[in-house]
Amino acid sequence: MSTWDVPGREWQPAVRVGLGCASLGNLFSPITDAAAEQTVEAAWRAGVRYFDTAPHYGLGLSERRLGAALRGRPRDQYVISTKVGRLLVPDPSGAGRTDPEGFAVPADHRRVWDFSRDGVRRSLDGSLRRLGLDRADLVLIHDPDDHLDEALSVAYPALAALRDSGAVTAIGVGSKRVDVLRRFVAETDLDVILLAGRYTLLEQPAATDLLPACRRRGVAVINAGVFNSGLLATDAPAAGASYEYAPAPAAVLDRARAIAAVCARHRVPLPTAALAFAAAHPAVTGVLVGAASADQVRHNAAALAAPEPPPQLWRDMVAAGLLDAAAPLPGPG
């Protein structure tokens, strides 16, 4: 089993691909408890041993379902990451409404931004209760974009203290903003960043300085959102396809279709190329892929197991201006 090498610290086992568990929290549409369990089971059978969740996902539903699905499996054989930054506060008055942040669950809790030391500890304690665990493998500061100074000066030291005490094995930050992640890499001693949607076959703004900085500093990179919210998840990106959790703008859709056309000329499925590219940067130690069903897990596993795309595919994309020349190309040479 391959592992992520975090310099100076041990937090394995882990593998090159993980399951993003937002859909276990009924992202956009509801799934049953049984479907959630089958999704995790399919991931386990495919060899996945890293699972990422958060209180934000379904107001705790994702954590509860993930903990239930993994219960009974050897604790030393998998890694779970969860997140801090949003406290869940009971709100009985919302029980008759649907959560307004994209999850098909009753709004019986409110999310409250809290990057204080107490907020970090309370959030983690709540996550462990929902997961049914007594320790955390990886804890990430979640979307600190609009609270950056407090997250750096208060939440990060709180997590570092938990890591130093042994209560947390590894710590990090997750965001889709390259500038936010760059500051954490430069100013802290974190173990991991979770980079969401900013080093993909569609766009590579992290290639210029963030990923090289991670390599220099020994920070592991979990590459998430590699299908850009679904735009690269099929061979033929269609009008209305999702990008940033909304319909893709025309220019973005045109770019995705141009990428798909290059893949088609080389007879490589677009999702296969997207996964191969996302995993190939030497700073990337794991790729996180979401799934809402066992069938989606199996589809993603097949894409990951497909033969490596030919080197000419990547060269053609660079020549067409579809890939950043600073991005290392997959494959030999």
Side-chain angles (χ1 to χ4, degrees), residues 161-173:
L162 289 170
R163 180 183 63 190
D164 292 345
S165 73
V168 170
T169 308
I171 63 174
V173 60

Side-chain angles (χ1 to χ4, degrees), residues 124-214:
L124 179 56
D125 287 346
S127 290
L128 292 177
R129 284 195 302 272
R130 288 186 290 271
L131 287 163
L133 300 176
D134 59 3
R135 62 178 173 85
D137 299 307
L138 170 61
V139 180
L140 301 163
I141 299 171
H142 198 187
D143 295 337
D145 310 0
D146 297 325
H147 310 267
L148 186 53
D149 289 340
E150 186 181 12
L152 282 163
S153 63
V154 183
Y156 165 73
L159 278 184
L162 289 170
R163 180 183 63 190
D164 292 345
S165 73
V168 170
T169 308
I171 63 174
V173 60
S175 176
K176 63 183 180 182
R177 278 183 47 182
V178 170
D179 60 323
V180 168
L181 296 172
R182 188 188 303 119
R183 281 197 62 185
F184 272 91
V185 171
E187 299 176 27
T188 71
D189 181 32
L190 46 71
D191 303 298
V192 179
I193 65 166
L194 193 155
L195 173 65
R198 294 299 172 262
Y199 188 76
T200 74
L201 195 55
L202 184 71
E203 53 188 306
Q204 305 91 45
T208 304
D209 59 0
L210 175 61
L211 295 182
C214 288

Side-chain angles (χ1 to χ4, degrees), residues 29 32 37 59 64 114 116 168 170 184 215 235 256 262 307 316 331:
S29 59
T32 65
E37 184 173 2
L59 296 171
R64 290 193 296 272
D114 192 334
S116 69
V168 170
F184 272 91
R215 291 200 76 193
D235 288 334
V262 176
D316 288 354

